[in-house]
Amino acid sequence: MNSTMPSFPERIELSGEGLVLRDWTEADLAAMPELFDHPDIAYWTPLVSPFDEAAARARLDRDRQLRAQGTAVLLAITVDGGAPLGEVMLRRAPEGTELGYAVGPAHRGQGLGVRAVRVMAAYAFEQLGAGQVILELEAENAASVAVATKAGFGLLDVPLITGEEKGRPYALQTWGLNRP
């Protein structure tokens, strides 16, 4: 961990909007492929594909490393602290406090992404003192654009972030939500 980035708490559990966002555990490893091994997630996110149990183990290990460094926190989206339905991420980056999310295909259409983003944004504002949180999304990803809009984010007038991942080019728009 560098001296300018304080570590995150060892354990985090956030409640609100009918959700419990909690730390990933060893017990979740078997459920992660069902959530993340899907063509939509492979296309729109940097998650590896295929996403199998080895990928789940690597993700959990990386989550713990990023948290210890004070760089990022990845939390399971649940309704009651039990079975994971997706993931929400908070990352401290030079461009700001960034959020990301993925909801398992079987759990879409319930507003989980919107609610998880709102709960995580509140944590960033109240506990981390963030003045703004951002989402970086491809304009063609209609589901993520809908999450951003419903969660109260607005498209920022900043240059697109371009690059290539998994052999395809991308252009990310930056959406922002200011501290209330």
Side-chain angles (χ1 to χ4, degrees):
M1 179 178 76
N2 69 42
S3 60
T4 61
M5 202 168 300
S7 64
F8 290 105
E10 188 175 318
R11 295 196 128 344
I12 299 176
E13 183 172 290
L14 309 175
S15 299
E17 304 252 352
L19 299 178
V20 176
L21 308 181
R22 62 159 176 83
D23 294 316
W24 287 103
T25 68
E26 303 289 325
D28 296 320
L29 289 172
M32 291 171 82
E34 181 184 324
L35 297 173
F36 301 134
D37 190 36
H38 189 270
D40 286 350
I41 291 176
Y43 188 83
W44 296 115
T45 76
L47 291 175
V48 299
S49 180
F51 195 99
D52 55 16
E53 282 203 48
R57 163 54 61 199
R59 183 130 182 104
L60 183 61
D61 292 345
R62 181 77 174 136
D63 166 33
R64 291 173 176 166
Q65 178 184 25
L66 292 171
R67 181 180 296 200
Q69 293 170 348
T71 305
V73 171
L74 291 83
L75 300 177
I77 301 170
T78 76
V79 293
D80 57 4
L85 309 174
E87 175 177 86
V88 62
M89 179 246 352
L90 180 147
R91 181 174 75 95
R92 293 172 169 151
E95 51 281 353
T97 302
E98 179 189 357
L99 304 182
Y101 46 88
V103 174
H107 310 292
R108 294 181 183 159
Q110 303 172 49
L112 297 170
V114 173
R115 293 184 285 152
V117 164
R118 279 190 241 178
V119 171
M120 190 66 105
Y123 173 77
F125 295 137
E126 295 163 12
Q127 300 300 315
L128 305 179
Q132 180 182 63
V133 292
I134 61 171
L135 302 170
E136 295 174 346
L137 314 171
E138 292 186 63
E140 297 80 19
N141 187 342
S144 279
V145 169
V147 167
T149 303
K150 289 176 185 174
F153 285 70
L155 185 59
L156 301 179
D157 186 18
V158 298
L160 292 174
I161 301 163
T162 58
E164 185 174 314
E165 177 114 17
K166 299 179 188 173
R168 75 171 189 89
Y170 64 80
L172 303 175
Q173 298 175 326
T174 303
W175 293 70
L177 178 67
N178 294 327
R179 176 196 300 265

